[in-house]
């Protein structure tokens, strides 16, 4: 059974690493593959559990996305809908995970942890990109050498009381 689980994870991660960077669809597919591996590992899913878990989970995520599209500007209504969806799917997850309330709650917490980690990773990558490249509207000018003919430094630019210029 461990060999099957290891094989399943290997296949998931193998397809993740073999994908080339191309479009947003590919990026979304890679994220989904990584999420599957992460959640499978965190929930300790057996291959049989994984086979019945993922269709239920995908329906759950689909309903959450539909709720977000229905309530794009009303966060309270969206959160109420999410709670309803979670309550409805709690029974479905219990059937798949062996009537274990702790594992069902771990589905929700693991999902939240993964989404937060993904959000943080994207934020960090965007910050690195913006720090590494100069802004397009700003031109970097070479620094001037510090010669005596160039502008005087601040101390020498201060005028003495008897000095006119």
């Amino acid at each position: 059974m461990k060999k099957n689980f290891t094989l399943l994870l290997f296949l998931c991660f193998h397809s993740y690493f073999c994908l080339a960077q191309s479009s947003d669809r590919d990026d979304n597919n890679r994220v989904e593959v990584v999420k599957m591996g992460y959640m499978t590992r965190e929930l300790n899913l057996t291959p049989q559990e994984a086979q019945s878990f993922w269709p239920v989970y995908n329906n759950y995520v689909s309903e959450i996305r539909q709720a977000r599209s229905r309530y794009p500007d009303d966060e309270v209504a969206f959160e109420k809908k999410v709670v309803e969806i979670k309550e409805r799917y709690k029974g479905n997850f219990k059937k798949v995970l062996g009537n274990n309330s702790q594992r069902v709650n771990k589905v929700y917490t693991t999902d939240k942890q993964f989404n937060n980690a993904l959000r943080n990773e994207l934020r960090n990558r965007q910050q690195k990109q913006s720090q590494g490249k100069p802004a397009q509207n700003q031109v970097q000018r070479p620094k001037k050498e510090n010669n005596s003919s160039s502008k005087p430094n601040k101390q020498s630019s201060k005028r003495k009381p008897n000095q006119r210029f």
Side-chain angles (χ1 to χ4, degrees):
M1 182 146 21
K2 260 189 172 178
K3 289 181 181 180
N4 291 339
F5 179 71
T6 306
L7 180 63
L8 177 69
L9 281 178
F10 174 76
L11 290 175
C12 288
F13 285 115
H14 182 271
S15 63
Y16 168 72
F17 291 118
C18 289
L19 291 173
Q21 289 184 348
S22 59
S23 68
D24 289 340
R25 178 185 276 174
D26 288 342
D27 290 343
N28 289 338
N29 288 340
R30 282 189 282 174
V31 169
E32 292 302 318
V33 168
V34 171
K35 187 174 189 174
M36 283 179 68
Y38 177 80
M39 291 193 68
T40 299
R41 185 180 65 246
E42 291 296 314
L43 297 172
N44 296 321
L45 296 176
T46 65
Q48 292 81 14
E49 287 174 334
Q51 191 173 12
S52 54
F53 173 79
W54 288 109
V56 173
Y57 179 79
N58 290 336
N59 289 337
Y60 160 75
V61 170
S62 175
E63 285 194 37
I64 298 245
R65 286 182 182 149
Q66 288 173 359
R68 173 51 76 194
S69 66
R70 262 187 242 137
Y71 305 107
D73 299 325
D74 191 352
E75 193 64 25
V76 173
F78 169 69
E79 290 295 330
K80 283 181 182 179
K81 189 66 176 174
V82 167
V83 169
E84 290 174 16
I85 293 169
K86 285 181 178 182
E87 287 175 350
R88 192 165 7 101
Y89 273 87
K90 192 172 187 174
N92 297 346
F93 287 130
K94 273 187 179 183
K95 289 177 188 175
V96 172
L97 300 174
N99 206 17
N100 188 336
S101 294
Q102 284 182 324
R103 285 182 83 192
V104 171
N105 286 330
K106 196 166 183 179
V107 169
Y108 299 128
T109 57
T110 303
D111 184 52
K112 189 174 185 177
Q113 288 170 351
F114 181 84
N115 289 335
N116 288 339
L118 180 64
R119 192 174 302 115
N120 289 337
E121 179 66 23
L122 289 174
R123 186 179 306 126
N124 290 340
R125 288 182 183 202
Q126 288 173 345
Q127 286 176 351
K128 284 181 183 178
Q129 280 184 341
S130 66
Q131 290 172 356
K133 297 179 181 177
Q136 290 179 349
N137 59 354
Q138 293 178 349
V139 177
Q140 287 186 341
R141 296 183 181 136
K143 292 182 179 180
K144 293 183 180 179
E145 294 182 22
N146 194 6
N147 295 342
S148 60
S149 63
S150 65
K151 290 184 179 179
N153 61 22
K154 288 185 177 185
Q155 288 181 352
S156 64
S157 66
K158 291 182 182 178
R159 292 177 39 190
K160 294 179 184 174
N162 294 342
Q163 200 176 19
R164 284 191 167 186
F165 296 109

